[in-house]
Amino acid sequence: MNSVLSIESLTFGYTKEQLIYDDFNLSLNKGEVKAIVGPSGCGKTTLFELITNNLLPQSGSISVSKVSSIYQDPYSSFHPTYTIYEQINDVVDDMSELSSLLKELHLEESLIDKKPHELSGGQLQRCSILRALLMKPDVLLVDEPTSALDNVIALEVMQLLMKFLHKCGILLITHDMFLAQWCSDTIIDLNEHRNNNAE
């Protein structure tokens, strides 16, 4: 197995009295999808913040390869004053797959020359997915990726993400248990397992 993410004995809380994670373990391999589920406030988004080093654990270790992220709110993912193309070009070294991915995501090429506020929420979310895939990550962190999309496009987008599993591992946050069951190798319910191993 080609491990792309390893979390060992993670302890974290916003206060010392109330830990969100206590000796939490998780591993992810290339080609694997793990879904993180649980009620609001159980620590799903906090886990992504720890993986991307925006938060630091109190103890334990997180070893992760190259990461890109797709967030639930696409408007918070883009700067309002730059075009989509400029913001993709800033973080992507190889744009050779741009045209083919635009077609697979049902995006007109002209859209990426616009600014975020000129796009619908669904279009902007697909641009967020476009940027994340073009970064060629080893780990793709996906937070409610289809919440702004209609059912048909949502299914096509998830099928597209699955095509990239030979290149990366996917960690998915979702409230949609049907989606989690459809695409995941393992479902981790943080309400039940955040204090236990999730290997």
Side-chain angles (χ1 to χ4, degrees), residues 150-177:
D150 66 53
N151 289 338
V152 173
I153 298 296
L155 177 60
E156 290 176 351
V157 164
M158 288 308 302
Q159 288 172 333
L160 176 62
L161 292 178
M162 296 302 103
K163 290 181 182 179
F164 282 78
L165 280 174
H166 67 290
K167 297 182 178 180
C168 66
I170 295 176
L171 201 59
L172 168 71
I173 288 175
T174 183
H175 288 95
D176 185 341
M177 188 57 72

PDB file of all heavy atoms in Angstrom, residues 150-177:
ATOM      1  N   ASP A 150     -26.728  20.406  -8.497  1.00  0.00           N
ATOM      2  CA  ASP A 150     -27.940  19.600  -8.621  1.00  0.00           C
ATOM      3  C   ASP A 150     -27.550  18.123  -8.682  1.00  0.00           C
ATOM      4  O   ASP A 150     -26.381  17.770  -8.845  1.00  0.00           O
ATOM      5  CB  ASP A 150     -28.764  20.019  -9.843  1.00  0.00           C
ATOM      6  CG  ASP A 150     -28.073  19.738 -11.170  1.00  0.00           C
ATOM      7  OD1 ASP A 150     -27.641  18.586 -11.399  1.00  0.00           O
ATOM      8  OD2 ASP A 150     -27.964  20.665 -11.996  1.00  0.00           O
ATOM      9  N   ASN A 151     -28.530  17.245  -8.530  1.00  0.00           N
ATOM     10  CA  ASN A 151     -28.243  15.819  -8.351  1.00  0.00           C
ATOM     11  C   ASN A 151     -27.485  15.196  -9.515  1.00  0.00           C
ATOM     12  O   ASN A 151     -26.591  14.376  -9.321  1.00  0.00           O
ATOM     13  CB  ASN A 151     -29.552  15.050  -8.112  1.00  0.00           C
ATOM     14  CG  ASN A 151     -30.147  15.348  -6.755  1.00  0.00           C
ATOM     15  OD1 ASN A 151     -29.444  15.784  -5.854  1.00  0.00           O
ATOM     16  ND2 ASN A 151     -31.445  15.114  -6.604  1.00  0.00           N
ATOM     17  N   VAL A 152     -27.837  15.583 -10.753  1.00  0.00           N
ATOM     18  CA  VAL A 152     -27.193  14.996 -11.928  1.00  0.00           C
ATOM     19  C   VAL A 152     -25.725  15.408 -11.989  1.00  0.00           C
ATOM     20  O   VAL A 152     -24.824  14.573 -12.148  1.00  0.00           O
ATOM     21  CB  VAL A 152     -27.924  15.406 -13.220  1.00  0.00           C
ATOM     22  CG1 VAL A 152     -27.152  14.924 -14.440  1.00  0.00           C
ATOM     23  CG2 VAL A 152     -29.335  14.826 -13.234  1.00  0.00           C
ATOM     24  N   ILE A 153     -25.466  16.717 -11.856  1.00  0.00           N
ATOM     25  CA  ILE A 153     -24.082  17.203 -11.888  1.00  0.00           C
ATOM     26  C   ILE A 153     -23.302  16.666 -10.688  1.00  0.00           C
ATOM     27  O   ILE A 153     -22.120  16.318 -10.806  1.00  0.00           O
ATOM     28  CB  ILE A 153     -24.044  18.744 -11.909  1.00  0.00           C
ATOM     29  CG1 ILE A 153     -24.720  19.285 -13.174  1.00  0.00           C
ATOM     30  CG2 ILE A 153     -22.611  19.256 -11.825  1.00  0.00           C
ATOM     31  CD1 ILE A 153     -24.019  18.903 -14.456  1.00  0.00           C
ATOM     32  N   ALA A 154     -23.958  16.566  -9.535  1.00  0.00           N
ATOM     33  CA  ALA A 154     -23.286  16.055  -8.336  1.00  0.00           C
ATOM     34  C   ALA A 154     -22.773  14.635  -8.562  1.00  0.00           C
ATOM     35  O   ALA A 154     -21.635  14.307  -8.207  1.00  0.00           O
ATOM     36  CB  ALA A 154     -24.235  16.098  -7.144  1.00  0.00           C
ATOM     37  N   LEU A 155     -23.607  13.798  -9.174  1.00  0.00           N
ATOM     38  CA  LEU A 155     -23.188  12.424  -9.457  1.00  0.00           C
ATOM     39  C   LEU A 155     -22.025  12.407 -10.438  1.00  0.00           C
ATOM     40  O   LEU A 155     -21.043  11.671 -10.241  1.00  0.00           O
ATOM     41  CB  LEU A 155     -24.366  11.623 -10.013  1.00  0.00           C
ATOM     42  CG  LEU A 155     -24.047  10.178 -10.427  1.00  0.00           C
ATOM     43  CD1 LEU A 155     -23.540   9.378  -9.235  1.00  0.00           C
ATOM     44  CD2 LEU A 155     -25.269   9.515 -11.047  1.00  0.00           C
ATOM     45  N   GLU A 156     -22.088  13.237 -11.478  1.00  0.00           N
ATOM     46  CA  GLU A 156     -21.016  13.276 -12.467  1.00  0.00           C
ATOM     47  C   GLU A 156     -19.713  13.757 -11.838  1.00  0.00           C
ATOM     48  O   GLU A 156     -18.628  13.247 -12.151  1.00  0.00           O
ATOM     49  CB  GLU A 156     -21.416  14.180 -13.631  1.00  0.00           C
ATOM     50  CG  GLU A 156     -22.527  13.595 -14.499  1.00  0.00           C
ATOM     51  CD  GLU A 156     -22.985  14.540 -15.590  1.00  0.00           C
ATOM     52  OE1 GLU A 156     -22.569  15.716 -15.578  1.00  0.00           O
ATOM     53  OE2 GLU A 156     -23.754  14.101 -16.468  1.00  0.00           O
ATOM     54  N   VAL A 157     -19.804  14.740 -10.932  1.00  0.00           N
ATOM     55  CA  VAL A 157     -18.613  15.267 -10.265  1.00  0.00           C
ATOM     56  C   VAL A 157     -17.984  14.192  -9.385  1.00  0.00           C
ATOM     57  O   VAL A 157     -16.757  14.001  -9.386  1.00  0.00           O
ATOM     58  CB  VAL A 157     -18.961  16.523  -9.446  1.00  0.00           C
ATOM     59  CG1 VAL A 157     -17.850  16.858  -8.454  1.00  0.00           C
ATOM     60  CG2 VAL A 157     -19.199  17.706 -10.374  1.00  0.00           C
ATOM     61  N   MET A 158     -18.784  13.457  -8.638  1.00  0.00           N
ATOM     62  CA  MET A 158     -18.239  12.409  -7.784  1.00  0.00           C
ATOM     63  C   MET A 158     -17.626  11.288  -8.628  1.00  0.00           C
ATOM     64  O   MET A 158     -16.582  10.732  -8.274  1.00  0.00           O
ATOM     65  CB  MET A 158     -19.327  11.846  -6.872  1.00  0.00           C
ATOM     66  CG  MET A 158     -19.762  12.788  -5.759  1.00  0.00           C
ATOM     67  SD  MET A 158     -18.380  13.450  -4.765  1.00  0.00           S
ATOM     68  CE  MET A 158     -17.614  11.939  -4.166  1.00  0.00           C
ATOM     69  N   GLN A 159     -18.258  10.969  -9.752  1.00  0.00           N
ATOM     70  CA  GLN A 159     -17.677   9.959 -10.647  1.00  0.00           C
ATOM     71  C   GLN A 159     -16.333  10.432 -11.193  1.00  0.00           C
ATOM     72  O   GLN A 159     -15.393   9.638 -11.336  1.00  0.00           O
ATOM     73  CB  GLN A 159     -18.649   9.650 -11.784  1.00  0.00           C
ATOM     74  CG  GLN A 159     -19.871   8.857 -11.341  1.00  0.00           C
ATOM     75  CD  GLN A 159     -20.925   8.723 -12.431  1.00  0.00           C
ATOM     76  OE1 GLN A 159     -21.022   9.569 -13.317  1.00  0.00           O
ATOM     77  NE2 GLN A 159     -21.721   7.668 -12.367  1.00  0.00           N
ATOM     78  N   LEU A 160     -16.227  11.736 -11.476  1.00  0.00           N
ATOM     79  CA  LEU A 160     -14.966  12.292 -11.943  1.00  0.00           C
ATOM     80  C   LEU A 160     -13.886  12.191 -10.868  1.00  0.00           C
ATOM     81  O   LEU A 160     -12.747  11.787 -11.147  1.00  0.00           O
ATOM     82  CB  LEU A 160     -15.159  13.751 -12.356  1.00  0.00           C
ATOM     83  CG  LEU A 160     -13.896  14.514 -12.781  1.00  0.00           C
ATOM     84  CD1 LEU A 160     -13.265  13.870 -14.009  1.00  0.00           C
ATOM     85  CD2 LEU A 160     -14.209  15.985 -13.056  1.00  0.00           C
ATOM     86  N   LEU A 161     -14.240  12.525  -9.628  1.00  0.00           N
ATOM     87  CA  LEU A 161     -13.268  12.423  -8.538  1.00  0.00           C
ATOM     88  C   LEU A 161     -12.773  10.989  -8.377  1.00  0.00           C
ATOM     89  O   LEU A 161     -11.588  10.759  -8.115  1.00  0.00           O
ATOM     90  CB  LEU A 161     -13.879  12.916  -7.227  1.00  0.00           C
ATOM     91  CG  LEU A 161     -14.179  14.416  -7.127  1.00  0.00           C
ATOM     92  CD1 LEU A 161     -14.815  14.747  -5.792  1.00  0.00           C
ATOM     93  CD2 LEU A 161     -12.914  15.258  -7.335  1.00  0.00           C
ATOM     94  N   MET A 162     -13.669  10.029  -8.560  1.00  0.00           N
ATOM     95  CA  MET A 162     -13.282   8.626  -8.427  1.00  0.00           C
ATOM     96  C   MET A 162     -12.251   8.217  -9.482  1.00  0.00           C
ATOM     97  O   MET A 162     -11.434   7.339  -9.256  1.00  0.00           O
ATOM     98  CB  MET A 162     -14.506   7.717  -8.537  1.00  0.00           C
ATOM     99  CG  MET A 162     -15.556   7.868  -7.438  1.00  0.00           C
ATOM    100  SD  MET A 162     -14.949   7.584  -5.756  1.00  0.00           S
ATOM    101  CE  MET A 162     -14.807   9.266  -5.151  1.00  0.00           C
ATOM    102  N   LYS A 163     -12.289   8.897 -10.647  1.00  0.00           N
ATOM    103  CA  LYS A 163     -11.330   8.580 -11.709  1.00  0.00           C
ATOM    104  C   LYS A 163      -9.896   8.922 -11.320  1.00  0.00           C
ATOM    105  O   LYS A 163      -8.942   8.427 -11.930  1.00  0.00           O
ATOM    106  CB  LYS A 163     -11.688   9.346 -12.985  1.00  0.00           C
ATOM    107  CG  LYS A 163     -12.951   8.875 -13.684  1.00  0.00           C
ATOM    108  CD  LYS A 163     -13.182   9.692 -14.948  1.00  0.00           C
ATOM    109  CE  LYS A 163     -14.460   9.306 -15.661  1.00  0.00           C
ATOM    110  NZ  LYS A 163     -14.673  10.130 -16.881  1.00  0.00           N
ATOM    111  N   PHE A 164      -9.734   9.775 -10.307  1.00  0.00           N
ATOM    112  CA  PHE A 164      -8.397  10.213  -9.920  1.00  0.00           C
ATOM    113  C   PHE A 164      -7.818   9.382  -8.782  1.00  0.00           C
ATOM    114  O   PHE A 164      -6.744   9.695  -8.271  1.00  0.00           O
ATOM    115  CB  PHE A 164      -8.433  11.696  -9.538  1.00  0.00           C
ATOM    116  CG  PHE A 164      -8.477  12.617 -10.718  1.00  0.00           C
ATOM    117  CD1 PHE A 164      -9.660  12.829 -11.408  1.00  0.00           C
ATOM    118  CD2 PHE A 164      -7.332  13.254 -11.169  1.00  0.00           C
ATOM    119  CE1 PHE A 164      -9.703  13.648 -12.520  1.00  0.00           C
ATOM    120  CE2 PHE A 164      -7.361  14.075 -12.275  1.00  0.00           C
ATOM    121  CZ  PHE A 164      -8.548  14.276 -12.951  1.00  0.00           C
ATOM    122  N   LEU A 165      -8.513   8.322  -8.397  1.00  0.00           N
ATOM    123  CA  LEU A 165      -8.041   7.525  -7.263  1.00  0.00           C
ATOM    124  C   LEU A 165      -6.739   6.792  -7.547  1.00  0.00           C
ATOM    125  O   LEU A 165      -6.036   6.423  -6.613  1.00  0.00           O
ATOM    126  CB  LEU A 165      -9.118   6.517  -6.850  1.00  0.00           C
ATOM    127  CG  LEU A 165     -10.240   7.092  -5.977  1.00  0.00           C
ATOM    128  CD1 LEU A 165     -11.321   6.051  -5.750  1.00  0.00           C
ATOM    129  CD2 LEU A 165      -9.688   7.584  -4.658  1.00  0.00           C
ATOM    130  N   HIS A 166      -6.403   6.587  -8.824  1.00  0.00           N
ATOM    131  CA  HIS A 166      -5.112   5.955  -9.106  1.00  0.00           C
ATOM    132  C   HIS A 166      -3.956   6.912  -8.836  1.00  0.00           C
ATOM    133  O   HIS A 166      -2.797   6.504  -8.785  1.00  0.00           O
ATOM    134  CB  HIS A 166      -5.059   5.465 -10.555  1.00  0.00           C
ATOM    135  CG  HIS A 166      -5.078   6.551 -11.576  1.00  0.00           C
ATOM    136  ND1 HIS A 166      -6.195   7.319 -11.826  1.00  0.00           N
ATOM    137  CD2 HIS A 166      -4.113   7.015 -12.415  1.00  0.00           C
ATOM    138  CE1 HIS A 166      -5.919   8.202 -12.772  1.00  0.00           C
ATOM    139  NE2 HIS A 166      -4.667   8.039 -13.151  1.00  0.00           N
ATOM    140  N   LYS A 167      -4.293   8.186  -8.604  1.00  0.00           N
ATOM    141  CA  LYS A 167      -3.256   9.190  -8.358  1.00  0.00           C
ATOM    142  C   LYS A 167      -3.234   9.686  -6.918  1.00  0.00           C
ATOM    143  O   LYS A 167      -2.256  10.288  -6.488  1.00  0.00           O
ATOM    144  CB  LYS A 167      -3.455  10.396  -9.281  1.00  0.00           C
ATOM    145  CG  LYS A 167      -3.331  10.077 -10.762  1.00  0.00           C
ATOM    146  CD  LYS A 167      -3.503  11.330 -11.596  1.00  0.00           C
ATOM    147  CE  LYS A 167      -3.346  11.038 -13.084  1.00  0.00           C
ATOM    148  NZ  LYS A 167      -3.505  12.261 -13.908  1.00  0.00           N
ATOM    149  N   CYS A 168      -4.330   9.481  -6.174  1.00  0.00           N
ATOM    150  CA  CYS A 168      -4.394  10.075  -4.841  1.00  0.00           C
ATOM    151  C   CYS A 168      -5.320   9.266  -3.942  1.00  0.00           C
ATOM    152  O   CYS A 168      -6.002   8.342  -4.376  1.00  0.00           O
ATOM    153  CB  CYS A 168      -4.892  11.522  -4.919  1.00  0.00           C
ATOM    154  SG  CYS A 168      -6.611  11.703  -5.466  1.00  0.00           S
ATOM    155  N   GLY A 169      -5.341   9.633  -2.667  1.00  0.00           N
ATOM    156  CA  GLY A 169      -6.332   9.145  -1.721  1.00  0.00           C
ATOM    157  C   GLY A 169      -7.295  10.282  -1.418  1.00  0.00           C
ATOM    158  O   GLY A 169      -6.905  11.450  -1.453  1.00  0.00           O
ATOM    159  N   ILE A 170      -8.548   9.953  -1.149  1.00  0.00           N
ATOM    160  CA  ILE A 170      -9.566  10.975  -0.903  1.00  0.00           C
ATOM    161  C   ILE A 170     -10.129  10.825   0.506  1.00  0.00           C
ATOM    162  O   ILE A 170     -10.540   9.731   0.910  1.00  0.00           O
ATOM    163  CB  ILE A 170     -10.711  10.888  -1.925  1.00  0.00           C
ATOM    164  CG1 ILE A 170     -10.201  11.204  -3.336  1.00  0.00           C
ATOM    165  CG2 ILE A 170     -11.852  11.843  -1.553  1.00  0.00           C
ATOM    166  CD1 ILE A 170     -11.246  11.051  -4.430  1.00  0.00           C
ATOM    167  N   LEU A 171     -10.121  11.936   1.243  1.00  0.00           N
ATOM    168  CA  LEU A 171     -10.771  12.009   2.542  1.00  0.00           C
ATOM    169  C   LEU A 171     -11.972  12.933   2.368  1.00  0.00           C
ATOM    170  O   LEU A 171     -11.825  14.104   2.015  1.00  0.00           O
ATOM    171  CB  LEU A 171      -9.798  12.553   3.593  1.00  0.00           C
ATOM    172  CG  LEU A 171     -10.106  12.244   5.057  1.00  0.00           C
ATOM    173  CD1 LEU A 171     -10.157  10.745   5.301  1.00  0.00           C
ATOM    174  CD2 LEU A 171      -9.067  12.893   5.964  1.00  0.00           C
ATOM    175  N   LEU A 172     -13.171  12.397   2.603  1.00  0.00           N
ATOM    176  CA  LEU A 172     -14.419  13.072   2.267  1.00  0.00           C
ATOM    177  C   LEU A 172     -15.226  13.369   3.521  1.00  0.00           C
ATOM    178  O   LEU A 172     -15.520  12.467   4.310  1.00  0.00           O
ATOM    179  CB  LEU A 172     -15.244  12.170   1.329  1.00  0.00           C
ATOM    180  CG  LEU A 172     -16.706  12.548   1.074  1.00  0.00           C
ATOM    181  CD1 LEU A 172     -16.789  13.801   0.213  1.00  0.00           C
ATOM    182  CD2 LEU A 172     -17.440  11.389   0.406  1.00  0.00           C
ATOM    183  N   ILE A 173     -15.579  14.635   3.718  1.00  0.00           N
ATOM    184  CA  ILE A 173     -16.562  15.010   4.736  1.00  0.00           C
ATOM    185  C   ILE A 173     -17.923  15.090   4.067  1.00  0.00           C
ATOM    186  O   ILE A 173     -18.069  15.743   3.035  1.00  0.00           O
ATOM    187  CB  ILE A 173     -16.233  16.379   5.371  1.00  0.00           C
ATOM    188  CG1 ILE A 173     -15.015  16.279   6.290  1.00  0.00           C
ATOM    189  CG2 ILE A 173     -17.426  16.916   6.157  1.00  0.00           C
ATOM    190  CD1 ILE A 173     -14.578  17.620   6.856  1.00  0.00           C
ATOM    191  N   THR A 174     -18.909  14.422   4.654  1.00  0.00           N
ATOM    192  CA  THR A 174     -20.254  14.507   4.078  1.00  0.00           C
ATOM    193  C   THR A 174     -21.309  14.236   5.144  1.00  0.00           C
ATOM    194  O   THR A 174     -21.065  13.507   6.113  1.00  0.00           O
ATOM    195  CB  THR A 174     -20.424  13.515   2.910  1.00  0.00           C
ATOM    196  OG1 THR A 174     -21.718  13.688   2.342  1.00  0.00           O
ATOM    197  CG2 THR A 174     -20.245  12.076   3.350  1.00  0.00           C
ATOM    198  N   HIS A 175     -22.477  14.864   4.960  1.00  0.00           N
ATOM    199  CA  HIS A 175     -23.648  14.529   5.770  1.00  0.00           C
ATOM    200  C   HIS A 175     -24.530  13.520   5.037  1.00  0.00           C
ATOM    201  O   HIS A 175     -25.511  13.040   5.589  1.00  0.00           O
ATOM    202  CB  HIS A 175     -24.468  15.796   6.065  1.00  0.00           C
ATOM    203  CG  HIS A 175     -23.822  16.711   7.050  1.00  0.00           C
ATOM    204  ND1 HIS A 175     -23.031  17.779   6.675  1.00  0.00           N
ATOM    205  CD2 HIS A 175     -23.840  16.725   8.402  1.00  0.00           C
ATOM    206  CE1 HIS A 175     -22.601  18.408   7.758  1.00  0.00           C
ATOM    207  NE2 HIS A 175     -23.083  17.787   8.812  1.00  0.00           N
ATOM    208  N   ASP A 176     -24.170  13.227   3.791  1.00  0.00           N
ATOM    209  CA  ASP A 176     -24.972  12.367   2.924  1.00  0.00           C
ATOM    210  C   ASP A 176     -24.496  10.921   3.071  1.00  0.00           C
ATOM    211  O   ASP A 176     -23.513  10.511   2.451  1.00  0.00           O
ATOM    212  CB  ASP A 176     -24.836  12.848   1.476  1.00  0.00           C
ATOM    213  CG  ASP A 176     -25.740  12.088   0.506  1.00  0.00           C
ATOM    214  OD1 ASP A 176     -26.189  10.983   0.855  1.00  0.00           O
ATOM    215  OD2 ASP A 176     -25.977  12.610  -0.599  1.00  0.00           O
ATOM    216  N   MET A 177     -25.191  10.154   3.900  1.00  0.00           N
ATOM    217  CA  MET A 177     -24.753   8.781   4.154  1.00  0.00           C
ATOM    218  C   MET A 177     -24.841   7.926   2.895  1.00  0.00           C
ATOM    219  O   MET A 177     -24.024   7.027   2.686  1.00  0.00           O
ATOM    220  CB  MET A 177     -25.600   8.168   5.273  1.00  0.00           C
ATOM    221  CG  MET A 177     -25.089   6.815   5.751  1.00  0.00           C
ATOM    222  SD  MET A 177     -23.360   6.847   6.352  1.00  0.00           S
ATOM    223  CE  MET A 177     -23.587   7.720   7.907  1.00  0.00           C
TER     224      MET A 177
END
